[in-house]
Amino acid sequence: MKKYLLIILIFNFHFIFSQHSLSQNDDVKVGLVLSGGGAKGFAHIGALKVLEEAGIRVDYIAGTSMGSVIGGLYAAGYNAKELDSILVKYDLSALIKDELPRRAYSFYQKENEGKYALSLPIDKWKIGLPSVSKGQNVYNIISQLTEHVHEIEDFSKLPIPFFCIATDLETGEEVILDKGSLPEAIRASGSFPGLLTPVKIDDKVLVDGGIVNNYPVEELKAKGVDYIIGVNVMGKLLEESKLNSVPLILGQIAGFQVYKNIKEKSKLTDIYIKPDISEFNNFSFDRANDIVLVGEMAARKQFDKIKEIAAKQKKQKHHTAIYSFDLNNDFVIKEIVINGNIHYTDNYCLDKLKFKKGIMTSQEIFLEGINTLTATGNFESIIYKFIPVEGGMKIEFNLIENTVSTFLKIGAHYDALYKTGILVNLTKKHSFFKNDFLSADFVIGDNLRYNIDYFLDNGFNWSFGLNTRYNSFKLDIPLSLDEDEPEFGIKVPFHYNDFTTQFFVQTTFNNNMAFRVGVEDKNLKAFIEEIVNDQTEKVFLDNSNYVNVFAKATYDSYNTQFSPKRGFYLDANYRFYLFSSNYFEDFDPFSQLSGKIGYAYTMFDKLTLQYIAQAGITIGSNGNEIHDYHLGGYNENLINTFESFYGYDIAELNSPSFLKSTFILRYELFKNNYLSFTGNYGRLNSDLWNDGSIFDDTVSGYAFGYTWDTFIGPIELKYSWSPDTVDHYWYFNLGFWF
């Protein structure tokens, strides 16, 4: 009897305890784990749409790599619909490559960086590999989207508690990021080796968390959630035939351990969502909409099970955003704090950022400043956060300068004038002072050349520069035997050597406009070779040293250096030749004024009309025809008073003054491939205005061409002719112009 009584008491106690336990767990907590997978991670957004539709309240989120991006933004307050509209609209492939608009680059970079096909870092006299993307664009977007939670450093205090996984690059150990800067943590979790640079946090060098734990379900379970919903967008190991790029090979290596453990991890998940992402890869960013739909379809297959869990939650609410992201949101900068800048002054950084304390700005303007500072290439990472203060925002910057300050750059080019040239450049930053750099170009080939620049960059304040260059080329020019019958002329070798040194000061009003004044010493040696009595003799056209003062104003808003689709260009130059060593003893001071105006406009996204107007005027008598303007040929690297002109050979047209108009109609067949038709018209005369009849006695030339913009520069083939002559020319150019 006592035995039965004991059984009844135990049963009743168990029933009472069970009822109490059930009551305590009535409002169940749901954890969400999101795996990494690159572009395939867009499927997380589709799954979140279904969770919201079912009424699930997410109480904790764990993510890795792309799962940390989607999960972190969801935890910060965005709902699935907003994530769909915000993230899908960005070209993430361009963001990952750290592509920047041309307007972000300084004037010096616009003039010179379009010469090099390859840039290699030199550290401790050792040449390294080309740098991978710093991920600054990715960080910028995440930082802006999470601006409203920048002051929250404990991720458990976010609208939804959150953590993400990274890998310690030095030890290979897993690192749980649940405190600190949210955008920095997300960026670290997604630092895929070989694609994005590592991120330094608390003296640890962190890379993609997917290497050690791409599905952090155990860590999420330890947070005390009752149910775990997991979305796994990992694919499978690739066959050998598909491993055709470095990122795919690195992904394969990183995936060995990940794919091995996923079966065991999936068993810890109450609802396991596995979208069919077999037709996508980690870089299918251009198919974002399709991937979102695949995630939605996979989650909908388990809609009933998801509804059952949602029914057990007391607070059944959809996740709603607490912040509306808008690039045009205005705010006042009340305080700016800059940390980490060693070789670059605060003023240099602020000038590049283009804002200062006390001004009203917007996220769009702020991002333009970050792009400009990024474009300098002087910083490995630019971390910042917004802290609300009375009357505006306090902005804290943590800058990490590039440890490498020396670079070896290489380029190659071929054209009809300079022939073959290999460009070798050595660039050294902060050589003598903060903010400075030294750049030395050496061209090895058919015509030896060099160009050495030293520039102390003070941003929008007056900067100082020193330039020295040597340039030489040889061409055959016609020499008339009889002035009355020039067609019986012969061509003789013409040698041109220019050695120029400049000292100048420069100020920039923004990245589009610069003004420069300076003093210049120019040594010109020009001669033709004649054969007299079987001996080659040099007949000098000039062998003098000139001293001049000069001024230069430039405005450049072209979207690209080559084949621009939009923008405006202005270049105005004035030189006053004061003194000369006077080889012919007939020098009189004179000046020259020249300018170029260009405009590009694109219709239908394919057809571009570009107009260029040029003029050059000589004021006074230079006493030497070598200073005349020499037009002809097609080159973008002509120096001094040499100018291109289709339909004529190089330097075939000569005059103390000229007017020139060029019309270019360019059609983009497919990306970076263009067909073009060009017409140029000119007037060469010492009296350009000709009593108002400026269109009389004009010359003209035309060209059809094909251009392919490649990583080594444009490859061009053009056919040119002039109705004024019977001559025609083929132009072939390969590589960046230098």
Side-chain angles (χ1 to χ4, degrees), residues 491-511:
K491 287 194 172 184
V492 296
F494 169 73
H495 297 260
Y496 189 88
N497 299 273
D498 171 279
F499 178 71
T500 297
T501 300
Q502 291 181 343
F503 174 76
F504 60 88
V505 293
Q506 174 177 298
T507 184
T508 55
F509 301 97
N510 52 49
N511 281 350

Side-chain angles (χ1 to χ4, degrees), residues 239-497:
E239 300 173 358
E240 183 273 336
S241 61
K242 296 182 179 179
L243 295 171
N244 52 17
S245 69
V246 173
L248 290 177
I249 293 173
L250 292 173
Q252 182 92 336
I253 296 171
F256 290 152
Q257 189 68 28
V258 171
Y259 294 124
K260 179 180 177 181
N261 297 332
I262 190 59
K263 288 185 178 179
E264 289 75 18
K265 289 177 174 288
S266 64
K267 295 176 183 177
L268 300 175
T269 309
D270 297 287
I271 295 181
Y272 183 64
I273 301 172
K274 184 69 176 74
D276 180 9
I277 41 79
S278 57
E279 62 176 296
F280 311 105
N281 59 50
N282 290 353
F283 308 100
S284 299
F285 295 106
D286 57 334
R287 302 190 62 187
N289 290 320
D290 295 332
I291 299 173
V292 170
L293 183 60
V294 166
E296 186 175 347
M297 292 169 59
R300 200 165 295 283
K301 291 178 181 178
Q302 304 195 55
F303 190 77
D304 292 339
K305 293 182 180 179
I306 298 171
K307 286 280 289 184
E308 289 179 9
I309 295 177
K312 297 177 182 180
Q313 292 182 302
K314 284 185 177 179
K315 298 179 180 179
Q316 296 180 353
K317 64 176 183 179
H318 293 289
H319 188 59
T320 56
I322 62 172
Y323 177 76
S324 177
F325 177 67
D326 184 0
L327 278 174
N328 294 313
N329 280 338
D330 292 332
F331 59 93
V332 177
I333 300 175
K334 300 297 290 184
E335 186 179 352
I336 301 173
V337 178
I338 301 177
N339 299 310
N341 52 319
I342 301 170
H343 297 99
Y344 302 94
T345 63
D346 283 1
N347 284 336
Y348 171 88
C349 297
L350 289 172
D351 279 346
K352 296 297 181 183
L353 290 167
K354 297 186 291 188
F355 55 75
K356 57 185 178 181
K357 185 172 66 174
I359 68 168
M360 176 77 75
T361 189
S362 68
Q363 282 284 0
E364 183 176 17
I365 296 174
F366 178 84
L367 180 58
E368 288 182 0
I370 296 296
N371 285 344
T372 301
L373 191 60
T374 301
T376 65
N378 297 328
F379 300 94
E380 187 175 312
S381 65
I382 303 169
I383 304 299
Y384 52 88
K385 63 180 178 180
F386 296 90
I387 302 174
V389 295
E390 185 178 352
M393 287 283 185
K394 173 184 177 182
I395 306 176
E396 289 187 359
F397 286 93
N398 286 306
L399 308 178
I400 299 178
E401 292 185 2
N402 278 334
T403 55
V404 178
S405 60
T406 306
F407 298 88
L408 175 67
K409 302 178 183 181
I410 300 171
H413 185 77
Y414 174 85
D415 65 64
L417 177 62
Y418 290 100
K419 309 300 182 184
T420 302
I422 302 297
L423 173 62
V424 179
N425 169 273
L426 189 67
T427 296
K428 180 71 172 70
K429 298 184 177 183
H430 41 81
S431 302
F432 306 105
F433 304 99
K434 292 182 177 182
N435 311 345
D436 78 350
F437 63 84
L438 178 67
S439 174
D441 285 342
F442 298 94
V443 180
I444 305 167
D446 293 300
N447 292 273
L448 297 178
R449 291 171 282 159
Y450 73 77
N451 186 78
I452 300 174
D453 277 317
Y454 177 77
F455 193 62
L456 182 60
D457 187 354
N458 291 321
F460 297 132
N461 298 314
W462 285 102
S463 302
F464 304 90
L466 180 67
N467 170 266
T468 179
R469 79 174 189 210
Y470 173 74
N471 194 296
S472 69
F473 58 82
K474 183 180 73 172
L475 57 90
D476 292 332
I477 62 172
L479 182 65
S480 177
L481 298 178
D482 187 339
E483 292 184 0
D484 297 326
E485 299 183 36
E487 65 271 15
F488 293 103
I490 62 173
K491 287 194 172 184
V492 296
F494 169 73
H495 297 260
Y496 189 88
N497 299 273

Side-chain angles (χ1 to χ4, degrees), residues 187-250:
R187 165 68 179 83
S189 180
S191 299
F192 190 84
L195 188 63
L196 296 174
T197 56
V199 174
K200 296 178 182 178
I201 299 179
D202 297 333
D203 297 324
K204 292 181 179 180
V205 181
L206 304 179
V207 293
D208 198 302
I211 297 173
V212 291
N213 190 352
N214 204 37
Y215 194 76
V217 64
E218 297 99 336
E219 292 76 6
L220 181 60
K221 204 170 189 67
K223 298 296 183 180
V225 295
D226 302 295
Y227 291 94
I228 294 179
I229 300 174
V231 185
N232 176 20
V233 295
M234 287 184 282
K236 60 182 180 180
L237 295 175
L238 299 175
E239 300 173 358
E240 183 273 336
S241 61
K242 296 182 179 179
L243 295 171
N244 52 17
S245 69
V246 173
L248 290 177
I249 293 173
L250 292 173

Side-chain angles (χ1 to χ4, degrees), residues 14 73 92 158 162 229 251 257 347 357 410 470 500 557 625 637-638 733 735-736:
H14 176 73
L73 294 177
L92 289 186
L158 291 169
F162 168 78
I229 300 174
Q257 189 68 28
N347 284 336
K357 185 172 66 174
I410 300 171
Y470 173 74
T500 297
S557 66
E625 292 182 356
N637 53 3
L638 296 174
N733 304 285
F736 292 117

Side-chain angles (χ1 to χ4, degrees), residues 378-661:
N378 297 328
F379 300 94
E380 187 175 312
S381 65
I382 303 169
I383 304 299
Y384 52 88
K385 63 180 178 180
F386 296 90
I387 302 174
V389 295
E390 185 178 352
M393 287 283 185
K394 173 184 177 182
I395 306 176
E396 289 187 359
F397 286 93
N398 286 306
L399 308 178
I400 299 178
E401 292 185 2
N402 278 334
T403 55
V404 178
S405 60
T406 306
F407 298 88
L408 175 67
K409 302 178 183 181
I410 300 171
H413 185 77
Y414 174 85
D415 65 64
L417 177 62
Y418 290 100
K419 309 300 182 184
T420 302
I422 302 297
L423 173 62
V424 179
N425 169 273
L426 189 67
T427 296
K428 180 71 172 70
K429 298 184 177 183
H430 41 81
S431 302
F432 306 105
F433 304 99
K434 292 182 177 182
N435 311 345
D436 78 350
F437 63 84
L438 178 67
S439 174
D441 285 342
F442 298 94
V443 180
I444 305 167
D446 293 300
N447 292 273
L448 297 178
R449 291 171 282 159
Y450 73 77
N451 186 78
I452 300 174
D453 277 317
Y454 177 77
F455 193 62
L456 182 60
D457 187 354
N458 291 321
F460 297 132
N461 298 314
W462 285 102
S463 302
F464 304 90
L466 180 67
N467 170 266
T468 179
R469 79 174 189 210
Y470 173 74
N471 194 296
S472 69
F473 58 82
K474 183 180 73 172
L475 57 90
D476 292 332
I477 62 172
L479 182 65
S480 177
L481 298 178
D482 187 339
E483 292 184 0
D484 297 326
E485 299 183 36
E487 65 271 15
F488 293 103
I490 62 173
K491 287 194 172 184
V492 296
F494 169 73
H495 297 260
Y496 189 88
N497 299 273
D498 171 279
F499 178 71
T500 297
T501 300
Q502 291 181 343
F503 174 76
F504 60 88
V505 293
Q506 174 177 298
T507 184
T508 55
F509 301 97
N510 52 49
N511 281 350
N512 288 338
M513 188 169 185
F515 178 71
R516 176 183 296 183
V517 293
V519 59
E520 176 181 85
D521 178 84
K522 183 183 292 290
N523 179 274
L524 287 181
K525 181 182 292 185
F527 60 90
I528 59 175
E529 292 180 338
E530 290 186 341
I531 298 177
V532 180
N533 298 325
D534 296 326
Q535 297 291 324
T536 300
E537 294 185 359
K538 294 180 180 179
V539 179
F540 281 94
L541 304 178
D542 199 3
N543 189 10
S544 303
N545 211 71
Y546 298 90
V547 176
N548 67 76
V549 292
F550 68 92
K552 177 183 178 70
T554 310
Y555 181 90
D556 184 358
S557 66
Y558 278 159
N559 68 308
T560 61
Q561 184 174 5
F562 306 107
S563 304
K565 288 189 172 183
R566 61 183 177 277
F568 179 79
Y569 182 85
L570 168 67
D571 183 48
N573 294 272
Y574 177 76
R575 272 180 171 77
F576 184 25
Y577 288 86
L578 299 169
F579 310 105
S580 173
S581 61
N582 201 3
Y583 179 76
F584 291 109
E585 299 182 355
D586 59 353
F587 173 80
D588 289 319
F590 69 97
S591 59
Q592 289 184 313
L593 177 64
S594 62
K596 176 191 291 187
I597 297 175
Y599 177 73
Y601 176 75
T602 297
M603 302 158 283
F604 318 115
D605 295 327
K606 292 288 185 179
L607 185 63
T608 300
L609 175 62
Q610 184 177 3
Y611 172 70
I612 302 170
Q614 290 178 259
I617 301 173
T618 300
I619 304 171
S621 176
N622 63 49
N624 192 329
E625 292 182 356
I626 199 66
H627 293 288
D628 286 353
Y629 292 96
H630 313 289
L631 277 65
Y634 169 60
N635 275 69
E636 296 289 338
N637 53 3
L638 296 174
I639 63 169
N640 295 337
T641 54
F642 288 81
E643 298 287 348
S644 63
F645 198 94
Y646 286 108
Y648 288 83
D649 203 357
I650 296 172
E652 188 174 351
L653 302 171
N654 304 276
S655 177
S657 302
F658 80 97
L659 289 174
K660 174 187 169 186
S661 289

